[in-house]
Amino acid sequence: MKGRKIGTAVVCAVCAFLIVSPFFAKDFVLYDFHMNVSDYHYAKTQEEKPLSADTAVWFSYGDGGKAVYYGVNEEIQEDRLTVYALTQTGEVSVTRGKEDPIRQDSLGHFIAALPAAELDIDGDGKAEKVYDYARADFGLNAFNPAPQRFLTEEIPFELVFAERKYIMVYYGNEILKDAEVLVTSYNGEQKRCRTDEHGWIQGLTNRDIREGFTAVYPPDGENVYRMHYALEDYPYFSVHFWKAHLPLAVIFALAVIGIMAVYLIRNRMERNNPAYAIYSRERAGVYPGTLHQKTNSKFLFVRWLCLFTGMFLWTYAGRLIHQGQTLNEISIPVFSCPFNLDQVAEVPCYYLSHLPALFGRFGADFPERNMAYAAMFIATTLLSFIFLGRILCGFLCPAGLLQDLMDKLRQALHIRPIVVTDRINRFLQPVKWVWILLFLGFAFTGGDFCDICPLKGFTTAQGGYWTNLYLGGFFAVVILVGSFFIRRFWCIICPMGYLMGLFRRFNLFRLKKDCTSCTECGACYHACPMRIKSIYTEREKENIQTVDCMMCGECIHKCPEDHALSMTFCGKTIYQSSRRTFLSKFSGKKEG
Amino acid sequence: MAEPDEVNGRQRELFIRKSTRVAASYLKRAKALSEMPDAAKPFFDVLENVYIRLTDVQKPEDMKSIGTLCVMVPAELVYAAGAMPVRLCSGSYTAYSVGDDYIPRDACPLVKAVMGFGKMKVLPAFDNCTLLVAPVTCDCKKKLAGVVDSVKNTVPLQVPPLKREDADTEVFLKELYRLIPILEKETGRQVTAKSLAEGINMVGNAQYEMSEFLKYRRHVPALMSGTQILSVMNAYSYMPVKMWAKQMHRLNEEMKLRLVQENFVSRKNQPRILVTGSPIAFPNIKIPLLIEEMGGVFAADETCMGERGLYDPVSVIDPSFDGMMRALASRYTKPCTCPVFVDNSQRIYRIKQMIRENNIQGVIYHVLRGCLVYDYEYQLMEEAMGKMDIPIIRVESDYNEEDVEQLRIRIEAFIELIKLKEYAAVHERQ
């Protein structure tokens, strides 16, 4: 009784902390990259002119971070250069020549312009007026989803990076609709692209945006506007890439301390417990390694394979495969951070946790575009929710892999887990509800769920994206320590997982139980990382999938009864428990 | 000076003569039922050694034996401590009549038999046990654990009467942890993670062989007499698990051969009967004997001296020492269908499962006199069987041969009833 009272008090305190603390999330700084661009430096590049630059001026970012380099053709004097910069106050600052444009209040958006040159580009023997520009977006603001426009008189032609994926074209302070622009790709190839009714350049790859391209637009026979654009982007294994891992390293370092603390505290507590006294002295953490355990389950192998694939797809795929093209329109619900732009498909967590933004934020800029995007987003998210559901948690989620790896690490270190009894599980439920509340509702209070999201720092950092971690970083430490001792600790309280589980009735993958074959031995319950108890107490229904079930198949793997538990896909059994398979590990014969 | 409990020479001789005679006659009857597989002989030899030749159980010299009662004592743990568990639940009529003097009249005969052997000290298998681990299960066993302490060093093992909450399993887990130092002190060996894993592997191997064997048992027509199978299962109590598994493997091979050769011991249409209820411990195998002598097939049993003791395997989730202990605690309570648990509806489900798997046509519900917990559950069982249209009778018996004729008539009538029912069903279809 006393234990229960203390437990209730602790849970209430945790929930209260979870509700109040997000409002001060920014005050808990775990790692901050100081994304003030004023400590960037500005210099002339020593590198060769990139293939993508058709213009006489271009920007590059080096590979070391915190630097922006400009380059001009040799025949042009540097002091003819004019650099425009967007500042925090909204005005455009202008600097000329070699002077450093990076001021204290710069946002990180620069356009360099050269005076018009008389050149014959189209080869008709008549010289046109050619305006050359280069644009650079760097720092954290580079990935700002809202379009950052200069719209000054001096720069009639402008390329704007918007919604973290698209390039839109402005001409004469207006969106350039249905026009043809000549694009020089990152590899120097030229192609003709069109802008659509929203001014977005069609047929541009992510790689073009990252490694640089030039867009040429001749509005009439006399003028030609050219702009070179490259987003601040660094190759893998560059200094910038490794620097992005720093917050991750901090999280892991804190997690190691946390794990050691929990380990020591537990040992100390158990030393005083008469029941465990003898155990903790001599046998703590001993894994014999001689126990016959069947590990070669095809199903579980596939699951691990899928998990690693999922991690790859949602962390590196965008950059490494298919010219950096990603399925931007499709949203697949896994818990990986959308701040990593390389994920193979969109993740709904950003918009689910920023519901006002889904319809509101870009509405003013491109209303139709936004509605179409919202419709596509909602449709794909719902389809995934309905037809796939939580199998994505068990098979694709990078956060799930992370937790499973922590569990494996624990086993490798011969540290035993904390067993989640149904009492502990009951205490975790209110925490889950608070997370769901924060996930869906925090945006309406003007807050940003990303500041408290414990998983923000993982796939982004791995993908080489700089992320600042506030309160969420500390939660990440808690999640890591938790998942070290309790497998899939986060999944028990994951808000998106819960939402996905709501549609389990329509899932194509189903977990079924043949109640007549069950002996209620509880092996499934103990194997379940989500601690679903009804799986072994259920004696009537065939459908035992609960909102927590993520189809990891552990219960089936550990079930000793023939076809008591099975997983079906569209009604066809794909994996089921078998007594023979279960006991064959004890048969004394080698399998195979 | 002889203690008042001590039995003098003549009485002892009489006791031995009577008890060996009963055991021998039942063994003979069991062997004579049908052609016994050669591989089953070692199991019968073990029973013969224990009950007729009065020798100790066969085991390595340096291995101590630890007595156990009920199915809740983890054999894995005893093997991990370097000892051999010997199930002391006995069916000896002679020991029962001796125990009658020490145990109240209404207590169950099994408890009396255990007490009888404890007092007589004629059974080396019993007497060589240096320690008795007695789970606190039903009322009779609970009080026995207290009383038998006077003749044998006894450790009561608390079994929670409820098992749905994790806290209940934790209670049993702590009991098992408490048992470890007691076992270690007795054997002088350490229970290490390695030895526990070895114990789980050993028992797991026996369970593997048994699950293979059960597949043959399910075959219609039967490949081996059910009474003989029950004797094989009973022999598990007196054999080191490795040896039992080895012999079981041989038996499985012979079963396979029999299946190929279509060497059946029953006809296809003989009524297949399941026996459930109070334990049927050797030599009290009169009910299975009667079933088979009256033309039924003793096709399956849901009793703790039969399949139940070995059926459920240990499912280790986390292979740490604690993980293994938790798996043991879970395996020895959660799937256990012993009626001492408050809510035991799972026993009905288990029997339904067995009826389906073994093509059962009738259920005999065995109640030992004074076995209240099993008697309690008869009502529910009857209801459930009624819904399934499976005939069921309750037979009450005691540890003596006086009720045999009465039982014979009832069982014969029951078998005729099943035959008639089948006949009617076939007739109707035509």
Side-chain angles (χ1 to χ4, degrees), chain A residues 25 27 48 65 145 196 214 245 259 264 328 388 398 410 425 435 469 482 491 500 505 512:
Chain A
D27 298 333
E48 279 186 26
D196 61 8
T214 308
H245 285 68
I259 287 165
L264 292 175
N328 290 317
L388 294 171
R410 174 188 61 72
N425 201 18
W435 272 115
L469 297 177
C491 297
M500 288 157 80
R505 264 168 224 292
K512 286 185 178 159

mmCIF file with all atom_site columns, all heavy atoms in Angstrom, chain A residues 25 27 48 65 145 196 214 245 259 264 328 388 398 410 425 435 469 482 491 500 505 512:
data_model
loop_
_atom_site.group_PDB
_atom_site.id
_atom_site.type_symbol
_atom_site.label_atom_id
_atom_site.label_alt_id
_atom_site.label_comp_id
_atom_site.label_asym_id
_atom_site.label_entity_id
_atom_site.label_seq_id
_atom_site.pdbx_PDB_ins_code
_atom_site.Cartn_x
_atom_site.Cartn_y
_atom_site.Cartn_z
_atom_site.occupancy
_atom_site.B_iso_or_equiv
_atom_site.pdbx_formal_charge
_atom_site.auth_seq_id
_atom_site.auth_comp_id
_atom_site.auth_asym_id
_atom_site.auth_atom_id
_atom_site.pdbx_PDB_model_num
ATOM 1   N N   . ALA A 1 25  ? 10.893  24.996  -22.260 1.00 0.00 ? 25  ALA A N   1
ATOM 2   C CA  . ALA A 1 25  ? 11.796  24.031  -22.901 1.00 0.00 ? 25  ALA A CA  1
ATOM 3   C C   . ALA A 1 25  ? 13.111  24.661  -23.314 1.00 0.00 ? 25  ALA A C   1
ATOM 4   O O   . ALA A 1 25  ? 14.174  24.057  -23.186 1.00 0.00 ? 25  ALA A O   1
ATOM 5   C CB  . ALA A 1 25  ? 11.106  23.410  -24.112 1.00 0.00 ? 25  ALA A CB  1
ATOM 6   N N   . ASP A 1 27  ? 14.763  26.845  -21.979 1.00 0.00 ? 27  ASP A N   1
ATOM 7   C CA  . ASP A 1 27  ? 15.674  27.186  -20.879 1.00 0.00 ? 27  ASP A CA  1
ATOM 8   C C   . ASP A 1 27  ? 16.544  26.005  -20.469 1.00 0.00 ? 27  ASP A C   1
ATOM 9   O O   . ASP A 1 27  ? 17.549  26.161  -19.802 1.00 0.00 ? 27  ASP A O   1
ATOM 10  C CB  . ASP A 1 27  ? 14.879  27.668  -19.661 1.00 0.00 ? 27  ASP A CB  1
ATOM 11  C CG  . ASP A 1 27  ? 14.108  28.932  -19.997 1.00 0.00 ? 27  ASP A CG  1
ATOM 12  O OD1 . ASP A 1 27  ? 14.578  29.658  -20.897 1.00 0.00 ? 27  ASP A OD1 1
ATOM 13  O OD2 . ASP A 1 27  ? 13.051  29.179  -19.404 1.00 0.00 ? 27  ASP A OD2 1
ATOM 14  N N   . GLU A 1 48  ? 37.940  25.657  -57.299 1.00 0.00 ? 48  GLU A N   1
ATOM 15  C CA  . GLU A 1 48  ? 37.591  25.908  -58.687 1.00 0.00 ? 48  GLU A CA  1
ATOM 16  C C   . GLU A 1 48  ? 36.108  26.204  -58.808 1.00 0.00 ? 48  GLU A C   1
ATOM 17  O O   . GLU A 1 48  ? 35.321  25.833  -57.948 1.00 0.00 ? 48  GLU A O   1
ATOM 18  C CB  . GLU A 1 48  ? 37.927  24.679  -59.534 1.00 0.00 ? 48  GLU A CB  1
ATOM 19  C CG  . GLU A 1 48  ? 39.388  24.626  -59.885 1.00 0.00 ? 48  GLU A CG  1
ATOM 20  C CD  . GLU A 1 48  ? 39.685  23.497  -60.851 1.00 0.00 ? 48  GLU A CD  1
ATOM 21  O OE1 . GLU A 1 48  ? 38.764  23.101  -61.596 1.00 0.00 ? 48  GLU A OE1 1
ATOM 22  O OE2 . GLU A 1 48  ? 40.832  23.036  -60.839 1.00 0.00 ? 48  GLU A OE2 1
ATOM 23  N N   . GLY A 1 65  ? 32.468  24.103  -42.263 1.00 0.00 ? 65  GLY A N   1
ATOM 24  C CA  . GLY A 1 65  ? 31.455  24.742  -41.448 1.00 0.00 ? 65  GLY A CA  1
ATOM 25  C C   . GLY A 1 65  ? 31.856  26.159  -41.065 1.00 0.00 ? 65  GLY A C   1
ATOM 26  O O   . GLY A 1 65  ? 33.029  26.541  -41.068 1.00 0.00 ? 65  GLY A O   1
ATOM 27  N N   . PRO A 1 145 ? 11.254  26.464  -43.331 1.00 0.00 ? 145 PRO A N   1
ATOM 28  C CA  . PRO A 1 145 ? 10.267  26.069  -44.340 1.00 0.00 ? 145 PRO A CA  1
ATOM 29  C C   . PRO A 1 145 ? 9.598   27.253  -45.037 1.00 0.00 ? 145 PRO A C   1
ATOM 30  O O   . PRO A 1 145 ? 9.171   27.138  -46.179 1.00 0.00 ? 145 PRO A O   1
ATOM 31  C CB  . PRO A 1 145 ? 9.257   25.249  -43.544 1.00 0.00 ? 145 PRO A CB  1
ATOM 32  C CG  . PRO A 1 145 ? 9.604   25.374  -42.114 1.00 0.00 ? 145 PRO A CG  1
ATOM 33  C CD  . PRO A 1 145 ? 10.929  26.029  -41.980 1.00 0.00 ? 145 PRO A CD  1
ATOM 34  N N   . ASP A 1 196 ? 5.692   25.827  -62.358 1.00 0.00 ? 196 ASP A N   1
ATOM 35  C CA  . ASP A 1 196 ? 4.253   25.548  -62.369 1.00 0.00 ? 196 ASP A CA  1
ATOM 36  C C   . ASP A 1 196 ? 3.466   26.779  -61.908 1.00 0.00 ? 196 ASP A C   1
ATOM 37  O O   . ASP A 1 196 ? 4.027   27.868  -61.781 1.00 0.00 ? 196 ASP A O   1
ATOM 38  C CB  . ASP A 1 196 ? 3.929   24.319  -61.513 1.00 0.00 ? 196 ASP A CB  1
ATOM 39  C CG  . ASP A 1 196 ? 4.314   24.537  -60.073 1.00 0.00 ? 196 ASP A CG  1
ATOM 40  O OD1 . ASP A 1 196 ? 4.679   25.680  -59.721 1.00 0.00 ? 196 ASP A OD1 1
ATOM 41  O OD2 . ASP A 1 196 ? 4.262   23.571  -59.300 1.00 0.00 ? 196 ASP A OD2 1
ATOM 42  N N   . THR A 1 214 ? 22.286  26.422  -61.644 1.00 0.00 ? 214 THR A N   1
ATOM 43  C CA  . THR A 1 214 ? 22.060  27.771  -62.141 1.00 0.00 ? 214 THR A CA  1
ATOM 44  C C   . THR A 1 214 ? 20.755  27.788  -62.909 1.00 0.00 ? 214 THR A C   1
ATOM 45  O O   . THR A 1 214 ? 20.478  26.872  -63.681 1.00 0.00 ? 214 THR A O   1
ATOM 46  C CB  . THR A 1 214 ? 23.189  28.208  -63.085 1.00 0.00 ? 214 THR A CB  1
ATOM 47  O OG1 . THR A 1 214 ? 24.434  28.004  -62.425 1.00 0.00 ? 214 THR A OG1 1
ATOM 48  C CG2 . THR A 1 214 ? 23.054  29.663  -63.462 1.00 0.00 ? 214 THR A CG2 1
ATOM 49  N N   . HIS A 1 245 ? 27.194  15.367  -34.968 1.00 0.00 ? 245 HIS A N   1
ATOM 50  C CA  . HIS A 1 245 ? 27.050  14.246  -34.039 1.00 0.00 ? 245 HIS A CA  1
ATOM 51  C C   . HIS A 1 245 ? 27.302  14.642  -32.596 1.00 0.00 ? 245 HIS A C   1
ATOM 52  O O   . HIS A 1 245 ? 27.084  13.840  -31.696 1.00 0.00 ? 245 HIS A O   1
ATOM 53  C CB  . HIS A 1 245 ? 28.015  13.115  -34.418 1.00 0.00 ? 245 HIS A CB  1
ATOM 54  C CG  . HIS A 1 245 ? 27.565  12.363  -35.624 1.00 0.00 ? 245 HIS A CG  1
ATOM 55  N ND1 . HIS A 1 245 ? 27.546  12.924  -36.876 1.00 0.00 ? 245 HIS A ND1 1
ATOM 56  C CD2 . HIS A 1 245 ? 27.106  11.088  -35.774 1.00 0.00 ? 245 HIS A CD2 1
ATOM 57  C CE1 . HIS A 1 245 ? 27.106  12.027  -37.749 1.00 0.00 ? 245 HIS A CE1 1
ATOM 58  N NE2 . HIS A 1 245 ? 26.827  10.918  -37.113 1.00 0.00 ? 245 HIS A NE2 1
ATOM 59  N N   . ILE A 1 259 ? 22.808  5.219   -16.878 1.00 0.00 ? 259 ILE A N   1
ATOM 60  C CA  . ILE A 1 259 ? 22.723  3.761   -16.780 1.00 0.00 ? 259 ILE A CA  1
ATOM 61  C C   . ILE A 1 259 ? 23.533  3.271   -15.583 1.00 0.00 ? 259 ILE A C   1
ATOM 62  O O   . ILE A 1 259 ? 23.084  2.425   -14.807 1.00 0.00 ? 259 ILE A O   1
ATOM 63  C CB  . ILE A 1 259 ? 23.227  3.121   -18.089 1.00 0.00 ? 259 ILE A CB  1
ATOM 64  C CG1 . ILE A 1 259 ? 22.206  3.335   -19.200 1.00 0.00 ? 259 ILE A CG1 1
ATOM 65  C CG2 . ILE A 1 259 ? 23.486  1.637   -17.901 1.00 0.00 ? 259 ILE A CG2 1
ATOM 66  C CD1 . ILE A 1 259 ? 22.721  3.070   -20.582 1.00 0.00 ? 259 ILE A CD1 1
ATOM 67  N N   . LEU A 1 264 ? 23.793  1.036   -10.189 1.00 0.00 ? 264 LEU A N   1
ATOM 68  C CA  . LEU A 1 264 ? 24.299  1.062   -8.816  1.00 0.00 ? 264 LEU A CA  1
ATOM 69  C C   . LEU A 1 264 ? 23.168  1.176   -7.805  1.00 0.00 ? 264 LEU A C   1
ATOM 70  O O   . LEU A 1 264 ? 23.164  0.492   -6.781  1.00 0.00 ? 264 LEU A O   1
ATOM 71  C CB  . LEU A 1 264 ? 25.291  2.220   -8.648  1.00 0.00 ? 264 LEU A CB  1
ATOM 72  C CG  . LEU A 1 264 ? 26.591  2.035   -9.430  1.00 0.00 ? 264 LEU A CG  1
ATOM 73  C CD1 . LEU A 1 264 ? 27.456  3.272   -9.316  1.00 0.00 ? 264 LEU A CD1 1
ATOM 74  C CD2 . LEU A 1 264 ? 27.351  0.808   -8.948  1.00 0.00 ? 264 LEU A CD2 1
ATOM 75  N N   . ASN A 1 328 ? 8.598   13.063  -51.254 1.00 0.00 ? 328 ASN A N   1
ATOM 76  C CA  . ASN A 1 328 ? 8.198   14.123  -50.342 1.00 0.00 ? 328 ASN A CA  1
ATOM 77  C C   . ASN A 1 328 ? 6.714   14.142  -50.034 1.00 0.00 ? 328 ASN A C   1
ATOM 78  O O   . ASN A 1 328 ? 6.296   14.577  -48.980 1.00 0.00 ? 328 ASN A O   1
ATOM 79  C CB  . ASN A 1 328 ? 8.577   15.474  -50.930 1.00 0.00 ? 328 ASN A CB  1
ATOM 80  C CG  . ASN A 1 328 ? 10.066  15.652  -50.923 1.00 0.00 ? 328 ASN A CG  1
ATOM 81  O OD1 . ASN A 1 328 ? 10.706  15.314  -49.949 1.00 0.00 ? 328 ASN A OD1 1
ATOM 82  N ND2 . ASN A 1 328 ? 10.615  16.148  -52.004 1.00 0.00 ? 328 ASN A ND2 1
ATOM 83  N N   . LEU A 1 388 ? -1.525  -0.283  -42.347 1.00 0.00 ? 388 LEU A N   1
ATOM 84  C CA  . LEU A 1 388 ? -0.300  -0.846  -41.784 1.00 0.00 ? 388 LEU A CA  1
ATOM 85  C C   . LEU A 1 388 ? -0.302  -0.779  -40.267 1.00 0.00 ? 388 LEU A C   1
ATOM 86  O O   . LEU A 1 388 ? -0.046  -1.761  -39.597 1.00 0.00 ? 388 LEU A O   1
ATOM 87  C CB  . LEU A 1 388 ? 0.913   -0.112  -42.348 1.00 0.00 ? 388 LEU A CB  1
ATOM 88  C CG  . LEU A 1 388 ? 1.097   -0.331  -43.848 1.00 0.00 ? 388 LEU A CG  1
ATOM 89  C CD1 . LEU A 1 388 ? 2.160   0.588   -44.392 1.00 0.00 ? 388 LEU A CD1 1
ATOM 90  C CD2 . LEU A 1 388 ? 1.461   -1.775  -44.128 1.00 0.00 ? 388 LEU A CD2 1
ATOM 91  N N   . PRO A 1 398 ? 13.007  3.923   -36.894 1.00 0.00 ? 398 PRO A N   1
ATOM 92  C CA  . PRO A 1 398 ? 14.405  4.039   -36.478 1.00 0.00 ? 398 PRO A CA  1
ATOM 93  C C   . PRO A 1 398 ? 14.541  4.172   -34.963 1.00 0.00 ? 398 PRO A C   1
ATOM 94  O O   . PRO A 1 398 ? 15.511  3.691   -34.384 1.00 0.00 ? 398 PRO A O   1
ATOM 95  C CB  . PRO A 1 398 ? 14.884  5.317   -37.173 1.00 0.00 ? 398 PRO A CB  1
ATOM 96  C CG  . PRO A 1 398 ? 13.898  5.577   -38.239 1.00 0.00 ? 398 PRO A CG  1
ATOM 97  C CD  . PRO A 1 398 ? 12.602  5.020   -37.775 1.00 0.00 ? 398 PRO A CD  1
ATOM 98  N N   . ARG A 1 410 ? 22.602  -4.081  -23.631 1.00 0.00 ? 410 ARG A N   1
ATOM 99  C CA  . ARG A 1 410 ? 22.461  -4.501  -22.242 1.00 0.00 ? 410 ARG A CA  1
ATOM 100 C C   . ARG A 1 410 ? 22.768  -5.989  -22.097 1.00 0.00 ? 410 ARG A C   1
ATOM 101 O O   . ARG A 1 410 ? 23.486  -6.412  -21.195 1.00 0.00 ? 410 ARG A O   1
ATOM 102 C CB  . ARG A 1 410 ? 21.041  -4.219  -21.759 1.00 0.00 ? 410 ARG A CB  1
ATOM 103 C CG  . ARG A 1 410 ? 20.750  -4.750  -20.380 1.00 0.00 ? 410 ARG A CG  1
ATOM 104 C CD  . ARG A 1 410 ? 19.291  -4.623  -20.036 1.00 0.00 ? 410 ARG A CD  1
ATOM 105 N NE  . ARG A 1 410 ? 18.437  -5.367  -20.942 1.00 0.00 ? 410 ARG A NE  1
ATOM 106 C CZ  . ARG A 1 410 ? 18.345  -6.688  -20.961 1.00 0.00 ? 410 ARG A CZ  1
ATOM 107 N NH1 . ARG A 1 410 ? 19.049  -7.421  -20.125 1.00 0.00 ? 410 ARG A NH1 1
ATOM 108 N NH2 . ARG A 1 410 ? 17.551  -7.309  -21.815 1.00 0.00 ? 410 ARG A NH2 1
ATOM 109 N N   . ASN A 1 425 ? 3.681   -0.854  -15.277 1.00 0.00 ? 425 ASN A N   1
ATOM 110 C CA  . ASN A 1 425 ? 3.013   -0.530  -16.538 1.00 0.00 ? 425 ASN A CA  1
ATOM 111 C C   . ASN A 1 425 ? 1.825   0.402   -16.300 1.00 0.00 ? 425 ASN A C   1
ATOM 112 O O   . ASN A 1 425 ? 1.597   1.337   -17.065 1.00 0.00 ? 425 ASN A O   1
ATOM 113 C CB  . ASN A 1 425 ? 2.556   -1.827  -17.207 1.00 0.00 ? 425 ASN A CB  1
ATOM 114 C CG  . ASN A 1 425 ? 2.330   -1.628  -18.669 1.00 0.00 ? 425 ASN A CG  1
ATOM 115 O OD1 . ASN A 1 425 ? 2.817   -0.651  -19.249 1.00 0.00 ? 425 ASN A OD1 1
ATOM 116 N ND2 . ASN A 1 425 ? 1.603   -2.530  -19.288 1.00 0.00 ? 425 ASN A ND2 1
ATOM 117 N N   . TRP A 1 435 ? 1.915   12.583  -22.809 1.00 0.00 ? 435 TRP A N   1
ATOM 118 C CA  . TRP A 1 435 ? 2.646   12.752  -24.073 1.00 0.00 ? 435 TRP A CA  1
ATOM 119 C C   . TRP A 1 435 ? 1.690   12.993  -25.231 1.00 0.00 ? 435 TRP A C   1
ATOM 120 O O   . TRP A 1 435 ? 1.941   13.822  -26.099 1.00 0.00 ? 435 TRP A O   1
ATOM 121 C CB  . TRP A 1 435 ? 3.504   11.521  -24.369 1.00 0.00 ? 435 TRP A CB  1
ATOM 122 C CG  . TRP A 1 435 ? 4.863   11.596  -23.767 1.00 0.00 ? 435 TRP A CG  1
ATOM 123 C CD1 . TRP A 1 435 ? 5.361   10.787  -22.807 1.00 0.00 ? 435 TRP A CD1 1
ATOM 124 C CD2 . TRP A 1 435 ? 5.900   12.543  -24.088 1.00 0.00 ? 435 TRP A CD2 1
ATOM 125 N NE1 . TRP A 1 435 ? 6.634   11.174  -22.490 1.00 0.00 ? 435 TRP A NE1 1
ATOM 126 C CE2 . TRP A 1 435 ? 6.989   12.242  -23.251 1.00 0.00 ? 435 TRP A CE2 1
ATOM 127 C CE3 . TRP A 1 435 ? 6.002   13.609  -24.960 1.00 0.00 ? 435 TRP A CE3 1
ATOM 128 C CZ2 . TRP A 1 435 ? 8.174   12.964  -23.279 1.00 0.00 ? 435 TRP A CZ2 1
ATOM 129 C CZ3 . TRP A 1 435 ? 7.169   14.334  -24.997 1.00 0.00 ? 435 TRP A CZ3 1
ATOM 130 C CH2 . TRP A 1 435 ? 8.249   14.011  -24.166 1.00 0.00 ? 435 TRP A CH2 1
ATOM 131 N N   . LEU A 1 469 ? 19.448  21.025  -29.157 1.00 0.00 ? 469 LEU A N   1
ATOM 132 C CA  . LEU A 1 469 ? 18.599  20.234  -28.284 1.00 0.00 ? 469 LEU A CA  1
ATOM 133 C C   . LEU A 1 469 ? 18.343  20.994  -27.003 1.00 0.00 ? 469 LEU A C   1
ATOM 134 O O   . LEU A 1 469 ? 19.261  21.478  -26.356 1.00 0.00 ? 469 LEU A O   1
ATOM 135 C CB  . LEU A 1 469 ? 19.262  18.896  -27.979 1.00 0.00 ? 469 LEU A CB  1
ATOM 136 C CG  . LEU A 1 469 ? 19.458  18.016  -29.212 1.00 0.00 ? 469 LEU A CG  1
ATOM 137 C CD1 . LEU A 1 469 ? 20.177  16.748  -28.840 1.00 0.00 ? 469 LEU A CD1 1
ATOM 138 C CD2 . LEU A 1 469 ? 18.117  17.693  -29.849 1.00 0.00 ? 469 LEU A CD2 1
ATOM 139 N N   . GLY A 1 482 ? 16.159  4.404   -20.183 1.00 0.00 ? 482 GLY A N   1
ATOM 140 C CA  . GLY A 1 482 ? 14.973  3.555   -20.044 1.00 0.00 ? 482 GLY A CA  1
ATOM 141 C C   . GLY A 1 482 ? 15.009  2.363   -20.968 1.00 0.00 ? 482 GLY A C   1
ATOM 142 O O   . GLY A 1 482 ? 14.781  1.232   -20.565 1.00 0.00 ? 482 GLY A O   1
ATOM 143 N N   . CYS A 1 491 ? 8.375   3.243   -26.746 1.00 0.00 ? 491 CYS A N   1
ATOM 144 C CA  . CYS A 1 491 ? 7.173   2.796   -27.461 1.00 0.00 ? 491 CYS A CA  1
ATOM 145 C C   . CYS A 1 491 ? 5.981   2.671   -26.519 1.00 0.00 ? 491 CYS A C   1
ATOM 146 O O   . CYS A 1 491 ? 4.838   2.814   -26.946 1.00 0.00 ? 491 CYS A O   1
ATOM 147 C CB  . CYS A 1 491 ? 7.440   1.454   -28.136 1.00 0.00 ? 491 CYS A CB  1
ATOM 148 S SG  . CYS A 1 491 ? 8.721   1.590   -29.382 1.00 0.00 ? 491 CYS A SG  1
ATOM 149 N N   . MET A 1 500 ? -1.501  5.450   -34.096 1.00 0.00 ? 500 MET A N   1
ATOM 150 C CA  . MET A 1 500 ? -1.496  4.425   -35.142 1.00 0.00 ? 500 MET A CA  1
ATOM 151 C C   . MET A 1 500 ? -2.269  3.192   -34.706 1.00 0.00 ? 500 MET A C   1
ATOM 152 O O   . MET A 1 500 ? -2.922  2.540   -35.506 1.00 0.00 ? 500 MET A O   1
ATOM 153 C CB  . MET A 1 500 ? -0.055  4.025   -35.457 1.00 0.00 ? 500 MET A CB  1
ATOM 154 C CG  . MET A 1 500 ? 0.689   5.088   -36.207 1.00 0.00 ? 500 MET A CG  1
ATOM 155 S SD  . MET A 1 500 ? 2.453   4.913   -35.976 1.00 0.00 ? 500 MET A SD  1
ATOM 156 C CE  . MET A 1 500 ? 2.804   3.630   -37.140 1.00 0.00 ? 500 MET A CE  1
ATOM 157 N N   . ARG A 1 505 ? -8.211  -2.166  -36.214 1.00 0.00 ? 505 ARG A N   1
ATOM 158 C CA  . ARG A 1 505 ? -9.261  -3.012  -36.753 1.00 0.00 ? 505 ARG A CA  1
ATOM 159 C C   . ARG A 1 505 ? -9.139  -3.221  -38.254 1.00 0.00 ? 505 ARG A C   1
ATOM 160 O O   . ARG A 1 505 ? -9.629  -4.188  -38.807 1.00 0.00 ? 505 ARG A O   1
ATOM 161 C CB  . ARG A 1 505 ? -10.626 -2.384  -36.483 1.00 0.00 ? 505 ARG A CB  1
ATOM 162 C CG  . ARG A 1 505 ? -11.287 -2.917  -35.273 1.00 0.00 ? 505 ARG A CG  1
ATOM 163 C CD  . ARG A 1 505 ? -12.481 -2.075  -34.899 1.00 0.00 ? 505 ARG A CD  1
ATOM 164 N NE  . ARG A 1 505 ? -12.487 -1.835  -33.477 1.00 0.00 ? 505 ARG A NE  1
ATOM 165 C CZ  . ARG A 1 505 ? -12.688 -2.775  -32.579 1.00 0.00 ? 505 ARG A CZ  1
ATOM 166 N NH1 . ARG A 1 505 ? -12.923 -4.000  -32.950 1.00 0.00 ? 505 ARG A NH1 1
ATOM 167 N NH2 . ARG A 1 505 ? -12.666 -2.489  -31.300 1.00 0.00 ? 505 ARG A NH2 1
ATOM 168 N N   . LYS A 1 512 ? -3.294  -12.866 -34.200 1.00 0.00 ? 512 LYS A N   1
ATOM 169 C CA  . LYS A 1 512 ? -4.463  -13.644 -33.824 1.00 0.00 ? 512 LYS A CA  1
ATOM 170 C C   . LYS A 1 512 ? -4.102  -14.705 -32.817 1.00 0.00 ? 512 LYS A C   1
ATOM 171 O O   . LYS A 1 512 ? -2.977  -15.188 -32.777 1.00 0.00 ? 512 LYS A O   1
ATOM 172 C CB  . LYS A 1 512 ? -5.083  -14.274 -35.064 1.00 0.00 ? 512 LYS A CB  1
ATOM 173 C CG  . LYS A 1 512 ? -5.794  -13.235 -35.884 1.00 0.00 ? 512 LYS A CG  1
ATOM 174 C CD  . LYS A 1 512 ? -6.524  -13.816 -37.049 1.00 0.00 ? 512 LYS A CD  1
ATOM 175 C CE  . LYS A 1 512 ? -7.256  -12.705 -37.785 1.00 0.00 ? 512 LYS A CE  1
ATOM 176 N NZ  . LYS A 1 512 ? -7.564  -13.076 -39.143 1.00 0.00 ? 512 LYS A NZ  1
#
